């Protein structure tokens, strides 16, 4: 087999492949067996029809077409390996010559996007500046309130709904008069914004037994992106009563005996949280600094495909303003992915099974799914390698972060290893980062979507 590559632009190539009749012969034999098992010829049992009879019945061209269709992925893969290409997306294949006569050979061309070449900047000692750690009384009080809310009790009230109330509601959604979904007796915290867009505003002011109509776009299901006519009915209204911060509460909610000890620990936690935020800021600034120092050519067909898919899912293909926003975020996300992939290669980053399992568990929690079911879903959708790639990028950025010189605006050096001293290994993992998501969901939905495959999937198998 011979191959040659023509570079059409920095991210797209045209590959010409020549395959001898001897190399194609095993695939022709397999095609004859396949066709022979599918046709019936008087005087011959199924699967026992001689090759020359099969060719006479269906034509040599049909046999070759069957053989080529089955052989293309193999020959394409061999050519890609020989030319050391890193293809992306769906190849465009053209058969230029079929070996219809003895001595002729199979010839085909493939146009395909390839990963761009990335020239990495010198990131050893990369300097970034972050905000200093400052913990206010409000920060401490906010964490204390969160703790109190965990031990709060809900009490029914006979008044109209207010922001922050807990309500039991019935909810129905229709499109063009057809019911799409309906639920009854679900609990919801008004103002949390975790359900349908516009529902919070519709709920405020309603009393028990009253209903309100509102319109909301849906993000999940077959009607994703369409506006639904929704009706919400209040079944009950409750308020959360918080316990007082005293010694009894300290003993109930913590390992401490006094409220003073509890408050001191909460203050320490607030400080640690601020340090963690400082680490996240450092991580993001390191990535932003790297992105400013590189120029990466992007495959336009990949960008256009991702943008189109995103807008199609939202039902906003004609929204030019939103298209521009999605295009910008897609380009940044792809640039980040290619950059971090290059660092993975430069740093010889490897992803172990424990790291992959840890990442899958974390993602399963994000989607509210059982880890085992999530792993099965990822496997069924062929996204395991995509997940491995994400973990590799996280580790690559963590490696750069480890080499960076980080100071706050007061001139103090920041040691990221001290961010989470009580959880061995958690600091580094927490500060590892995924490349920014290519798709974003700015519509409300009552459903949780399964994750999509990443934008930079490797090539699909070509077909004639």
């Amino acid at each position: 087999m011979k191959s040659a590559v023509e570079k059409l632009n920095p991210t797209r190539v045209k590959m010409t492949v020549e395959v001898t009749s001897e190399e194609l012969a095993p695939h022709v034999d397999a095609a004859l067996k396949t066709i022979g098992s599918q046709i019936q010829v008087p005087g011959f049992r199924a699967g026992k029809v001689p090759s020359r009879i099969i060719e006479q019945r269906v034509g040599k061209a049909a046999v070759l077409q069957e053989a080529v269709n089955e052989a293309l992925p193999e020959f394409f893969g061999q050519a890609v390996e020989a030319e050391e290409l890193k293809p992306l997306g769906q190849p465009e294949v053209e058969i230029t010559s079929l070996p219809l006569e003895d001595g002729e050979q199979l010839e085909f061309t493939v146009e395909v996007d390839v990963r761009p070449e990335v020239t990495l900047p010198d990131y050893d000692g990369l300097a970034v500046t972050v905000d200093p750690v400052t913990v206010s009384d409000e920060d401490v009080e906010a964490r204390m309130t969160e703790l109190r809310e965990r031990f709060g009790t809900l009490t029914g009230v006979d008044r109209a709904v207010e922001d922050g109330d807990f309500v039991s509601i019935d909810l129905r959604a229709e499109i063009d008069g057809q019911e799409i979904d309906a639920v009854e007796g679900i609990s919801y915290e008004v103002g949390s914004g975790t359900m349908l867009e516009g529902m919070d505003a519709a709920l405020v002011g309603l009393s028990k037994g009253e209903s309100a109509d509102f319109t909301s776009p849906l993000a999940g299901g077959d009607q994703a992106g369409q506006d639904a006519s929704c009706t919400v009915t209040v079944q009950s209204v409750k308020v959360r009563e918080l316990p007082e911060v005293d010694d009894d509460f300290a003993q109930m909610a913590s390992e401490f005996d006094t409220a003073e000890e509890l408050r001191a620990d909460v203050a320490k936690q607030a400080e640690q949280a601020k340090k963690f935020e400082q680490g996240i800021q450092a991580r993001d600034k390191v990535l932003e600094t790297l992105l400013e120092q590189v120029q990466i050519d992007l495959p336009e067909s990949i960008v256009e495909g991702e943008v189109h898919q995103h807008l199609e899912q939202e039902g906003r293909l004609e929204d030019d303003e939103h298209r521009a926003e999605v295009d910008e975020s897609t380009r940044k996300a792809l640039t980040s992915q290619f950059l971090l992939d290059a660092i993975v290669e430069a740093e010889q980053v490897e992803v172990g099974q424990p790291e992959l399992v840890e990442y899958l568990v974390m993602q399963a929690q994000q989607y509210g799914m059982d880890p085992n079911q999530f792993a099965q879903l990822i496997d069924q959708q062929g996204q395991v390698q995509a997940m491995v790639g994400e973990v590799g990028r996280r580790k690559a950025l963590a490696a750069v972060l480890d080499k960076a010189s980080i100071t706050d605006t007061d001139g103090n050096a920041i040691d990221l290893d001290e961010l989470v001293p009580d959880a061995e290994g958690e600091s580094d993992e927490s500060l590892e980062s995924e490349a920014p998501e290519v798709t974003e969901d700015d519509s409300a939905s009552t459903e949780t979507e399964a994750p999509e495959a990443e934008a930079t999937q490797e090539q699909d198998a070509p077909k004639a």
Side-chain angles (χ1 to χ4, degrees), residues 5 88 122 147 199 206 210 290 387 447:
V5 174
L88 298 170
D122 182 10
L147 180 61
M199 193 173 79
L206 295 182
E210 293 183 340
L290 287 173
M387 290 292 176
E447 301 182 21

Side-chain angles (χ1 to χ4, degrees), residues 81-357:
E81 184 175 355
E83 300 295 341
E84 298 182 344
L85 298 177
K86 297 178 180 178
L88 298 170
Q90 177 65 50
E92 296 180 5
V93 182
E94 181 182 359
I95 306 298
T96 56
S97 177
L98 280 173
L100 295 173
E101 303 293 337
D102 293 340
E104 295 181 341
Q105 60 185 8
L106 168 67
E107 297 180 7
F108 64 93
T109 62
V110 183
E111 285 194 24
V112 65
D113 290 315
V114 294
R115 284 183 174 271
E117 296 180 1
V118 179
T119 302
L120 290 174
D122 182 10
Y123 51 77
D124 194 2
L126 186 70
V128 296
T129 303
V130 296
D131 297 329
V133 170
T134 56
V135 181
S136 65
D137 292 340
E138 289 76 13
D139 294 326
V140 177
E141 194 58 40
R143 293 187 70 86
M144 182 64 78
T145 299
E146 290 177 4
L147 180 61
R148 294 169 65 199
E149 287 176 346
R150 289 167 52 190
F151 292 88
T153 57
L154 296 180
T155 303
V157 292
D158 187 16
R159 60 164 172 76
V161 175
E162 297 178 1
D163 194 42
D165 286 346
F166 289 79
V167 293
S168 176
I169 59 173
D170 297 341
L171 184 62
R172 187 178 72 256
E174 296 181 350
I175 294 181
D176 296 331
Q178 181 178 357
E179 184 176 285
I180 302 302
D181 197 6
V183 291
E184 296 181 354
I186 59 173
S187 298
Y188 178 68
E189 181 180 2
V190 181
S192 62
T194 56
M195 290 188 66
L196 294 172
E197 180 182 327
M199 193 173 79
D200 288 327
L203 281 169
V204 173
L206 295 182
S207 297
K208 178 180 178 180
E210 293 183 340
S211 301
D213 298 326
F214 63 100
T215 300
S216 177
L218 301 179
D222 296 336
Q223 289 77 24
Q226 297 185 39
D227 285 341
S229 299
C230 305
T231 301
V232 61
T233 302
V234 176
Q235 297 295 345
S236 65
V237 184
K238 297 180 180 180
V239 295
R240 179 161 51 192
E241 296 183 349
L242 304 182
E244 294 294 330
V245 180
D246 52 22
D247 292 348
D248 290 338
F249 175 71
Q251 294 167 19
M252 175 181 65
S254 71
E255 71 273 26
F256 301 107
D257 294 327
T258 66
E260 183 178 357
E261 291 174 316
L262 173 60
R263 189 171 292 278
D265 184 70
V266 169
K268 181 180 178 181
Q269 293 178 26
E271 181 181 14
Q272 194 63 43
K274 288 289 185 178
K275 288 182 178 180
F276 183 75
E277 291 175 6
Q278 189 182 58
I280 297 297
Q281 185 185 24
R283 179 203 67 188
D284 293 344
K285 284 201 170 186
V286 163
L287 179 58
E288 288 295 333
T289 302
L290 287 173
L291 290 173
E292 291 171 359
Q293 296 178 5
V294 296
Q295 182 66 41
I296 300 177
D297 295 303
L298 299 178
E300 288 301 318
S301 64
I302 299 293
V303 174
E304 292 172 4
E306 288 297 319
V307 172
H308 181 86
Q309 181 183 29
H310 180 104
L311 295 175
E312 187 175 43
Q313 289 176 343
E314 293 185 334
R316 301 174 68 177
L317 286 172
E318 307 303 322
D319 190 336
D320 292 338
E321 182 177 353
H322 187 51
R323 176 181 291 274
E325 296 172 354
V326 175
D327 183 87
E328 181 180 359
S329 65
T330 299
R331 291 180 184 278
K332 181 176 180 180
L334 286 173
T335 302
S336 299
Q337 288 185 13
F338 291 132
L339 169 64
L340 294 176
D341 284 342
I343 297 175
V344 166
E345 186 173 346
E347 295 289 331
Q348 297 182 330
V349 172
E350 296 182 355
V351 177
Q353 185 174 359
E355 295 167 315
L356 179 59
V357 170

